[in-house]
Short mmCIF file of all heavy atoms in Angstrom, two decimals:
data_model
loop_
_atom_site.label_atom_id
_atom_site.label_comp_id
_atom_site.label_asym_id
_atom_site.label_seq_id
_atom_site.Cartn_x
_atom_site.Cartn_y
_atom_site.Cartn_z
N MET F 1 -47.31 148.99 96.82
CA MET F 1 -47.62 150.20 97.56
C MET F 1 -48.60 151.04 96.74
O MET F 1 -48.47 151.18 95.55
CB MET F 1 -46.33 150.97 97.85
CG MET F 1 -46.56 152.17 98.73
SD MET F 1 -45.01 153.03 99.09
CE MET F 1 -44.68 152.35 100.68
N SER F 2 -49.56 151.63 97.41
CA SER F 2 -50.62 152.36 96.72
C SER F 2 -50.18 153.72 96.21
O SER F 2 -50.81 154.27 95.32
CB SER F 2 -51.81 152.53 97.66
OG SER F 2 -51.47 153.39 98.74
N GLY F 3 -49.16 154.32 96.79
CA GLY F 3 -48.73 155.65 96.40
C GLY F 3 -49.49 156.75 97.13
O GLY F 3 -49.15 157.91 97.05
N LYS F 4 -50.53 156.39 97.84
CA LYS F 4 -51.30 157.35 98.61
C LYS F 4 -50.54 157.67 99.90
O LYS F 4 -50.12 156.77 100.62
CB LYS F 4 -52.67 156.77 98.94
CG LYS F 4 -53.58 157.73 99.66
CD LYS F 4 -54.93 157.10 99.89
CE LYS F 4 -55.78 158.04 100.71
NZ LYS F 4 -57.06 157.45 101.06
N THR F 5 -50.35 158.95 100.18
CA THR F 5 -49.55 159.31 101.35
C THR F 5 -50.40 159.76 102.53
O THR F 5 -49.93 159.74 103.65
CB THR F 5 -48.55 160.42 101.01
OG1 THR F 5 -49.26 161.55 100.51
CG2 THR F 5 -47.55 159.95 99.97
N ASP F 6 -51.63 160.19 102.32
CA ASP F 6 -52.48 160.64 103.42
C ASP F 6 -53.55 159.59 103.67
O ASP F 6 -54.46 159.41 102.88
CB ASP F 6 -53.11 161.99 103.10
CG ASP F 6 -53.85 162.58 104.29
OD1 ASP F 6 -54.06 161.85 105.29
OD2 ASP F 6 -54.20 163.76 104.24
N HIS F 7 -53.42 158.90 104.79
CA HIS F 7 -54.37 157.85 105.15
C HIS F 7 -55.52 158.39 106.01
O HIS F 7 -56.31 157.61 106.54
CB HIS F 7 -53.66 156.72 105.88
CG HIS F 7 -52.70 155.98 105.01
ND1 HIS F 7 -53.08 154.95 104.18
CD2 HIS F 7 -51.37 156.14 104.79
CE1 HIS F 7 -52.04 154.49 103.52
NE2 HIS F 7 -50.98 155.21 103.87
N GLY F 8 -55.58 159.70 106.18
CA GLY F 8 -56.66 160.29 106.97
C GLY F 8 -56.49 160.09 108.46
O GLY F 8 -57.46 160.11 109.20
N LEU F 9 -55.25 159.90 108.91
CA LEU F 9 -54.98 159.73 110.33
C LEU F 9 -54.20 160.93 110.85
O LEU F 9 -53.33 161.44 110.16
CB LEU F 9 -54.18 158.45 110.58
CG LEU F 9 -54.82 157.15 110.13
CD1 LEU F 9 -53.85 156.00 110.32
CD2 LEU F 9 -56.11 156.89 110.86
N ARG F 10 -54.53 161.34 112.04
CA ARG F 10 -53.80 162.42 112.69
C ARG F 10 -53.44 161.96 114.10
O ARG F 10 -54.24 161.31 114.76
CB ARG F 10 -54.64 163.70 112.77
CG ARG F 10 -55.08 164.25 111.42
CD ARG F 10 -53.89 164.66 110.58
NE ARG F 10 -54.27 165.18 109.28
CZ ARG F 10 -54.33 164.48 108.15
NH1 ARG F 10 -54.04 163.19 108.17
NH2 ARG F 10 -54.66 165.04 107.02
N ALA F 11 -52.24 162.29 114.53
CA ALA F 11 -51.79 161.88 115.86
C ALA F 11 -51.49 163.11 116.69
O ALA F 11 -51.00 164.11 116.18
CB ALA F 11 -50.55 161.00 115.76
N GLY F 12 -51.80 163.03 117.96
CA GLY F 12 -51.52 164.12 118.88
C GLY F 12 -50.99 163.59 120.18
O GLY F 12 -51.36 162.50 120.63
N LEU F 13 -50.11 164.34 120.79
CA LEU F 13 -49.48 163.94 122.03
C LEU F 13 -50.07 164.74 123.18
O LEU F 13 -50.24 165.96 123.07
CB LEU F 13 -47.97 164.19 121.94
CG LEU F 13 -47.11 163.75 123.11
CD1 LEU F 13 -47.10 162.24 123.21
CD2 LEU F 13 -45.71 164.27 122.93
N SER F 14 -50.41 164.06 124.26
CA SER F 14 -50.90 164.76 125.44
C SER F 14 -50.08 164.32 126.65
O SER F 14 -49.44 163.27 126.63
CB SER F 14 -52.37 164.46 125.68
OG SER F 14 -52.55 163.10 125.99
N GLY F 15 -50.12 165.11 127.66
CA GLY F 15 -49.37 164.78 128.87
C GLY F 15 -48.00 165.39 128.85
O GLY F 15 -47.83 166.57 128.58
N GLY F 16 -47.02 164.58 129.06
CA GLY F 16 -45.64 165.05 129.14
C GLY F 16 -45.11 164.82 130.53
O GLY F 16 -45.80 164.26 131.39
N GLY F 17 -43.92 165.23 130.75
CA GLY F 17 -43.33 164.98 132.07
C GLY F 17 -43.06 163.50 132.24
O GLY F 17 -42.30 162.91 131.50
N GLY F 18 -43.73 162.87 133.17
CA GLY F 18 -43.51 161.47 133.46
C GLY F 18 -44.21 160.51 132.52
O GLY F 18 -43.82 159.37 132.37
N ARG F 19 -45.29 160.99 131.88
CA ARG F 19 -46.07 160.10 131.02
C ARG F 19 -46.67 160.89 129.87
O ARG F 19 -47.23 161.96 130.06
CB ARG F 19 -47.20 159.46 131.82
CG ARG F 19 -48.06 158.55 131.00
CD ARG F 19 -49.12 157.89 131.84
NE ARG F 19 -49.89 157.01 130.99
CZ ARG F 19 -51.16 156.75 131.17
NH1 ARG F 19 -51.80 157.28 132.19
NH2 ARG F 19 -51.80 155.96 130.36
N SER F 20 -46.56 160.34 128.67
CA SER F 20 -47.16 160.95 127.49
C SER F 20 -48.06 159.93 126.80
O SER F 20 -47.77 158.74 126.81
CB SER F 20 -46.09 161.42 126.50
OG SER F 20 -45.30 162.41 127.09
N VAL F 21 -49.15 160.39 126.21
CA VAL F 21 -50.09 159.52 125.52
C VAL F 21 -50.26 160.02 124.10
O VAL F 21 -50.50 161.21 123.88
CB VAL F 21 -51.46 159.52 126.24
CG1 VAL F 21 -52.48 158.69 125.47
CG2 VAL F 21 -51.32 159.02 127.66
N ILE F 22 -50.11 159.12 123.13
CA ILE F 22 -50.35 159.47 121.73
C ILE F 22 -51.73 158.97 121.35
O ILE F 22 -52.04 157.79 121.48
CB ILE F 22 -49.30 158.82 120.80
CG1 ILE F 22 -47.90 159.34 121.13
CG2 ILE F 22 -49.64 159.10 119.34
CD1 ILE F 22 -46.80 158.66 120.35
N ARG F 23 -52.57 159.88 120.91
CA ARG F 23 -53.91 159.52 120.44
C ARG F 23 -53.91 159.63 118.92
O ARG F 23 -53.41 160.61 118.36
CB ARG F 23 -54.95 160.44 121.03
CG ARG F 23 -55.01 160.37 122.54
CD ARG F 23 -56.33 160.87 123.07
NE ARG F 23 -56.40 161.13 124.48
CZ ARG F 23 -56.16 160.27 125.46
NH1 ARG F 23 -55.75 159.08 125.18
NH2 ARG F 23 -56.30 160.61 126.73
N ILE F 24 -54.48 158.64 118.27
CA ILE F 24 -54.54 158.63 116.81
C ILE F 24 -56.00 158.74 116.41
O ILE F 24 -56.84 157.94 116.81
CB ILE F 24 -53.91 157.35 116.25
CG1 ILE F 24 -52.46 157.25 116.73
CG2 ILE F 24 -53.99 157.34 114.72
CD1 ILE F 24 -51.79 155.93 116.45
N TYR F 25 -56.30 159.77 115.62
CA TYR F 25 -57.66 160.09 115.21
C TYR F 25 -57.83 159.78 113.73
O TYR F 25 -56.99 160.11 112.91
CB TYR F 25 -57.93 161.58 115.45
CG TYR F 25 -59.35 162.00 115.22
CD1 TYR F 25 -60.30 161.85 116.21
CD2 TYR F 25 -59.74 162.52 114.00
CE1 TYR F 25 -61.62 162.23 116.00
CE2 TYR F 25 -61.06 162.89 113.78
CZ TYR F 25 -61.99 162.75 114.79
OH TYR F 25 -63.29 163.12 114.57
N SER F 26 -58.94 159.10 113.40
CA SER F 26 -59.25 158.78 112.01
C SER F 26 -60.24 159.81 111.47
O SER F 26 -61.36 159.93 111.98
CB SER F 26 -59.86 157.38 111.90
OG SER F 26 -60.39 157.18 110.61
N LEU F 27 -59.82 160.55 110.45
CA LEU F 27 -60.74 161.51 109.82
C LEU F 27 -61.86 160.78 109.10
O LEU F 27 -63.00 161.24 109.06
CB LEU F 27 -59.96 162.39 108.83
CG LEU F 27 -58.86 163.25 109.43
CD1 LEU F 27 -58.10 163.98 108.33
CD2 LEU F 27 -59.42 164.24 110.43
N LYS F 28 -61.55 159.62 108.55
CA LYS F 28 -62.55 158.83 107.81
C LYS F 28 -63.64 158.30 108.74
O LYS F 28 -64.83 158.35 108.42
CB LYS F 28 -61.87 157.66 107.11
CG LYS F 28 -62.78 156.82 106.27
CD LYS F 28 -62.01 155.73 105.55
CE LYS F 28 -62.93 154.87 104.71
NZ LYS F 28 -62.20 153.80 104.02
N LEU F 29 -63.24 157.79 109.92
CA LEU F 29 -64.21 157.25 110.87
C LEU F 29 -64.82 158.32 111.77
O LEU F 29 -65.85 158.09 112.40
CB LEU F 29 -63.55 156.18 111.73
CG LEU F 29 -63.01 154.95 111.00
CD1 LEU F 29 -62.27 154.04 111.97
CD2 LEU F 29 -64.13 154.20 110.31
N GLY F 30 -64.14 159.47 111.89
CA GLY F 30 -64.64 160.54 112.74
C GLY F 30 -64.49 160.26 114.22
O GLY F 30 -65.26 160.74 115.04
N ARG F 31 -63.47 159.48 114.56
CA ARG F 31 -63.25 159.13 115.98
C ARG F 31 -61.80 158.71 116.20
O ARG F 31 -61.09 158.36 115.26
CB ARG F 31 -64.18 158.00 116.41
CG ARG F 31 -63.91 156.70 115.67
CD ARG F 31 -64.72 155.55 116.25
NE ARG F 31 -64.56 154.33 115.49
CZ ARG F 31 -63.53 153.50 115.61
NH1 ARG F 31 -62.55 153.77 116.44
NH2 ARG F 31 -63.47 152.39 114.89
N PRO F 32 -61.38 158.72 117.48
CA PRO F 32 -60.04 158.21 117.79
C PRO F 32 -60.00 156.70 117.57
O PRO F 32 -61.01 156.01 117.74
CB PRO F 32 -59.86 158.54 119.27
CG PRO F 32 -60.93 159.50 119.63
CD PRO F 32 -62.04 159.29 118.65
N LEU F 33 -58.82 156.20 117.21
CA LEU F 33 -58.66 154.75 117.09
C LEU F 33 -58.48 154.15 118.47
O LEU F 33 -57.85 154.74 119.34
CB LEU F 33 -57.44 154.42 116.23
CG LEU F 33 -57.48 154.85 114.78
CD1 LEU F 33 -56.23 154.37 114.05
CD2 LEU F 33 -58.73 154.34 114.06
N ASP F 34 -59.04 152.98 118.66
CA ASP F 34 -58.87 152.22 119.90
C ASP F 34 -58.00 151.02 119.54
O ASP F 34 -58.48 150.04 118.97
CB ASP F 34 -60.22 151.76 120.44
CG ASP F 34 -60.11 151.00 121.75
OD1 ASP F 34 -58.98 150.65 122.15
OD2 ASP F 34 -61.15 150.75 122.38
N LEU F 35 -56.71 151.10 119.85
CA LEU F 35 -55.77 150.08 119.42
C LEU F 35 -55.92 148.77 120.20
O LEU F 35 -55.20 147.81 119.93
CB LEU F 35 -54.35 150.61 119.48
CG LEU F 35 -54.10 151.81 118.55
CD1 LEU F 35 -52.66 152.28 118.65
CD2 LEU F 35 -54.48 151.49 117.13
N ARG F 36 -56.88 148.71 121.10
CA ARG F 36 -57.21 147.43 121.74
C ARG F 36 -58.07 146.59 120.80
O ARG F 36 -58.21 145.39 120.99
CB ARG F 36 -57.95 147.66 123.06
CG ARG F 36 -57.06 148.35 124.11
CD ARG F 36 -57.84 148.75 125.31
NE ARG F 36 -58.77 149.81 124.91
CZ ARG F 36 -59.54 150.51 125.74
NH1 ARG F 36 -59.51 150.25 127.02
NH2 ARG F 36 -60.34 151.45 125.30
N LYS F 37 -58.66 147.24 119.78
CA LYS F 37 -59.53 146.55 118.81
C LYS F 37 -58.74 146.17 117.57
O LYS F 37 -58.03 147.00 116.99
CB LYS F 37 -60.69 147.45 118.41
CG LYS F 37 -61.60 147.83 119.55
CD LYS F 37 -62.69 148.73 119.06
CE LYS F 37 -63.60 149.15 120.20
NZ LYS F 37 -64.64 150.09 119.73
N ALA F 38 -58.86 144.92 117.15
CA ALA F 38 -58.12 144.42 115.98
C ALA F 38 -58.45 145.21 114.73
O ALA F 38 -57.57 145.50 113.91
CB ALA F 38 -58.41 142.94 115.77
N THR F 39 -59.71 145.61 114.54
CA THR F 39 -60.09 146.36 113.34
C THR F 39 -59.41 147.72 113.28
O THR F 39 -59.02 148.17 112.21
CB THR F 39 -61.63 146.55 113.26
OG1 THR F 39 -62.08 147.14 114.49
CG2 THR F 39 -62.34 145.23 113.04
N ASP F 40 -59.24 148.37 114.42
CA ASP F 40 -58.55 149.66 114.45
C ASP F 40 -57.04 149.49 114.26
O ASP F 40 -56.40 150.30 113.60
CB ASP F 40 -58.83 150.41 115.76
CG ASP F 40 -60.22 151.05 115.77
OD1 ASP F 40 -60.98 150.84 114.81
OD2 ASP F 40 -60.53 151.77 116.73
N ARG F 41 -56.47 148.43 114.83
CA ARG F 41 -55.03 148.17 114.62
C ARG F 41 -54.73 147.91 113.15
O ARG F 41 -53.69 148.33 112.64
CB ARG F 41 -54.57 146.98 115.47
CG ARG F 41 -54.46 147.29 116.94
CD ARG F 41 -53.72 146.21 117.69
NE ARG F 41 -54.24 144.87 117.48
CZ ARG F 41 -55.19 144.30 118.22
NH1 ARG F 41 -55.74 144.98 119.23
NH2 ARG F 41 -55.58 143.08 117.99
N LYS F 42 -55.65 147.27 112.45
CA LYS F 42 -55.45 146.96 111.03
C LYS F 42 -55.31 148.23 110.20
O LYS F 42 -54.64 148.23 109.17
CB LYS F 42 -56.64 146.16 110.50
CG LYS F 42 -56.39 144.72 110.35
CD LYS F 42 -57.60 144.06 109.75
CE LYS F 42 -57.16 143.01 108.77
NZ LYS F 42 -58.27 142.20 108.31
N ILE F 43 -55.93 149.31 110.62
CA ILE F 43 -55.85 150.58 109.89
C ILE F 43 -54.40 151.07 109.85
O ILE F 43 -53.96 151.63 108.86
CB ILE F 43 -56.78 151.63 110.52
CG1 ILE F 43 -58.23 151.21 110.34
CG2 ILE F 43 -56.53 153.01 109.94
CD1 ILE F 43 -59.23 152.02 111.14
N LEU F 44 -53.66 150.84 110.93
CA LEU F 44 -52.27 151.29 110.99
C LEU F 44 -51.32 150.38 110.22
O LEU F 44 -50.22 150.78 109.88
CB LEU F 44 -51.80 151.38 112.44
CG LEU F 44 -52.44 152.46 113.28
CD1 LEU F 44 -51.87 152.42 114.68
CD2 LEU F 44 -52.23 153.83 112.67
N VAL F 45 -51.76 149.16 109.94
CA VAL F 45 -50.91 148.20 109.23
C VAL F 45 -51.32 148.21 107.76
O VAL F 45 -52.04 147.35 107.29
CB VAL F 45 -51.05 146.79 109.83
CG1 VAL F 45 -50.10 145.81 109.15
CG2 VAL F 45 -50.79 146.82 111.32
N SER F 46 -50.88 149.23 107.05
CA SER F 46 -51.20 149.35 105.63
C SER F 46 -50.00 149.93 104.90
O SER F 46 -49.09 150.47 105.52
CB SER F 46 -52.43 150.24 105.42
OG SER F 46 -52.20 151.53 105.93
N ASP F 47 -49.98 149.78 103.60
CA ASP F 47 -48.87 150.30 102.80
C ASP F 47 -48.66 151.78 103.08
O ASP F 47 -49.59 152.58 102.99
CB ASP F 47 -49.14 150.12 101.31
CG ASP F 47 -48.99 148.69 100.86
OD1 ASP F 47 -48.41 147.89 101.61
OD2 ASP F 47 -49.46 148.37 99.76
N GLY F 48 -47.46 152.13 103.42
CA GLY F 48 -47.09 153.53 103.61
C GLY F 48 -47.50 154.13 104.94
O GLY F 48 -47.26 155.30 105.19
N ALA F 49 -48.13 153.35 105.81
CA ALA F 49 -48.53 153.88 107.11
C ALA F 49 -47.31 153.88 108.03
O ALA F 49 -46.75 152.84 108.33
CB ALA F 49 -49.65 153.04 107.72
N GLU F 50 -46.89 155.06 108.43
CA GLU F 50 -45.71 155.19 109.29
C GLU F 50 -45.99 156.20 110.38
O GLU F 50 -46.61 157.23 110.15
CB GLU F 50 -44.51 155.64 108.47
CG GLU F 50 -44.13 154.67 107.37
CD GLU F 50 -43.05 155.21 106.46
OE1 GLU F 50 -42.73 156.41 106.54
OE2 GLU F 50 -42.54 154.42 105.65
N LEU F 51 -45.51 155.91 111.56
CA LEU F 51 -45.64 156.81 112.69
C LEU F 51 -44.28 156.90 113.36
O LEU F 51 -43.72 155.89 113.77
CB LEU F 51 -46.68 156.29 113.68
CG LEU F 51 -46.89 157.08 114.95
CD1 LEU F 51 -47.43 158.47 114.64
CD2 LEU F 51 -47.84 156.36 115.88
N TYR F 52 -43.74 158.09 113.42
CA TYR F 52 -42.43 158.32 114.01
C TYR F 52 -42.56 159.24 115.21
O TYR F 52 -42.51 160.45 115.07
CB TYR F 52 -41.47 158.95 112.99
CG TYR F 52 -41.15 158.06 111.82
CD1 TYR F 52 -41.77 158.26 110.60
CD2 TYR F 52 -40.23 157.03 111.94
CE1 TYR F 52 -41.48 157.44 109.51
CE2 TYR F 52 -39.94 156.21 110.86
CZ TYR F 52 -40.57 156.42 109.66
OH TYR F 52 -40.27 155.63 108.59
N PRO F 53 -42.77 158.68 116.40
CA PRO F 53 -42.86 159.56 117.57
C PRO F 53 -41.48 160.07 117.96
O PRO F 53 -40.47 159.39 117.76
CB PRO F 53 -43.44 158.65 118.66
CG PRO F 53 -43.08 157.27 118.23
CD PRO F 53 -43.00 157.29 116.73
N GLY F 54 -41.45 161.26 118.50
CA GLY F 54 -40.19 161.84 118.96
C GLY F 54 -40.45 162.77 120.13
O GLY F 54 -41.53 163.35 120.24
N TRP F 55 -39.49 162.88 120.99
CA TRP F 55 -39.63 163.74 122.16
C TRP F 55 -38.47 164.71 122.23
O TRP F 55 -37.35 164.38 121.84
CB TRP F 55 -39.64 162.89 123.44
CG TRP F 55 -40.94 162.22 123.70
CD1 TRP F 55 -41.92 162.64 124.55
CD2 TRP F 55 -41.43 161.02 123.10
NE1 TRP F 55 -42.98 161.78 124.52
CE2 TRP F 55 -42.71 160.76 123.63
CE3 TRP F 55 -40.93 160.14 122.15
CZ2 TRP F 55 -43.47 159.68 123.26
CZ3 TRP F 55 -41.70 159.04 121.78
CH2 TRP F 55 -42.94 158.83 122.33
N THR F 56 -38.75 165.87 122.74
CA THR F 56 -37.70 166.84 123.03
C THR F 56 -37.90 167.33 124.44
O THR F 56 -39.00 167.25 125.00
CB THR F 56 -37.74 168.04 122.06
OG1 THR F 56 -39.00 168.70 122.20
CG2 THR F 56 -37.54 167.61 120.63
N GLN F 57 -36.86 167.83 125.03
CA GLN F 57 -36.95 168.38 126.37
C GLN F 57 -36.43 169.80 126.35
O GLN F 57 -35.31 170.05 125.89
CB GLN F 57 -36.15 167.53 127.35
CG GLN F 57 -36.24 168.06 128.77
CD GLN F 57 -35.50 167.15 129.75
OE1 GLN F 57 -34.95 166.13 129.37
NE2 GLN F 57 -35.51 167.52 131.00
N PHE F 58 -37.25 170.72 126.83
CA PHE F 58 -36.86 172.11 126.88
C PHE F 58 -35.87 172.32 128.03
O PHE F 58 -36.11 171.90 129.15
CB PHE F 58 -38.07 173.01 127.08
CG PHE F 58 -37.73 174.46 127.20
CD1 PHE F 58 -37.37 175.19 126.08
CD2 PHE F 58 -37.73 175.08 128.43
CE1 PHE F 58 -37.03 176.53 126.19
CE2 PHE F 58 -37.38 176.41 128.55
CZ PHE F 58 -37.05 177.14 127.42
N VAL F 59 -34.75 172.93 127.73
CA VAL F 59 -33.74 173.25 128.75
C VAL F 59 -33.50 174.75 128.69
O VAL F 59 -33.17 175.29 127.65
CB VAL F 59 -32.43 172.49 128.49
CG1 VAL F 59 -31.39 172.86 129.54
CG2 VAL F 59 -32.67 170.99 128.49
N GLY F 60 -33.71 175.41 129.78
CA GLY F 60 -33.50 176.85 129.81
C GLY F 60 -34.63 177.54 130.55
O GLY F 60 -35.37 176.92 131.29
N SER F 61 -34.75 178.83 130.35
CA SER F 61 -35.81 179.59 131.01
C SER F 61 -36.48 180.51 130.00
O SER F 61 -35.93 180.80 128.95
CB SER F 61 -35.23 180.41 132.17
OG SER F 61 -34.29 181.32 131.67
N TYR F 62 -37.65 180.98 130.35
CA TYR F 62 -38.40 181.86 129.45
C TYR F 62 -37.89 183.25 129.62
O TYR F 62 -37.96 184.11 130.11
CB TYR F 62 -39.90 181.77 129.72
CG TYR F 62 -40.46 180.47 129.27
CD1 TYR F 62 -40.68 179.43 130.16
CD2 TYR F 62 -40.77 180.25 127.93
CE1 TYR F 62 -41.19 178.22 129.74
CE2 TYR F 62 -41.29 179.04 127.51
CZ TYR F 62 -41.50 178.05 128.41
OH TYR F 62 -42.02 176.86 127.98
#
């Protein structure tokens, strides 16, 4: 393991309700990753690369 904890990736969630989309942006490449491409998928498969998605649901009123 390299010991490096910041791989220059940022993830953001859009949508919600019935469908949510997680977009992963590479600060190094200056663009979102396209996980249909093997080269972009390889970026996520590295020592210490972890992504833990989680969802919550708001219950109540404002």
Side-chain angles (χ1 to χ4, degrees):
M1 186 178 262
S2 67
K4 183 177 176 185
T5 58
D6 188 348
H7 293 275
L9 301 175
R10 300 297 180 265
L13 184 67
S14 65
R19 179 177 181 211
S20 297
V21 176
I22 297 175
R23 298 201 193 303
I24 302 170
Y25 187 84
S26 169
L27 298 175
K28 183 177 179 181
L29 298 174
R31 64 173 176 81
L33 296 183
D34 182 350
L35 299 181
R36 294 171 293 187
K37 298 179 181 178
T39 53
D40 283 5
R41 286 193 307 271
K42 258 183 141 171
I43 294 169
L44 292 180
V45 184
S46 60
D47 286 345
E50 299 173 349
L51 177 64
Y52 295 101
W55 282 261
T56 60
Q57 181 177 359
F58 178 75
V59 178
S61 61
Y62 289 98

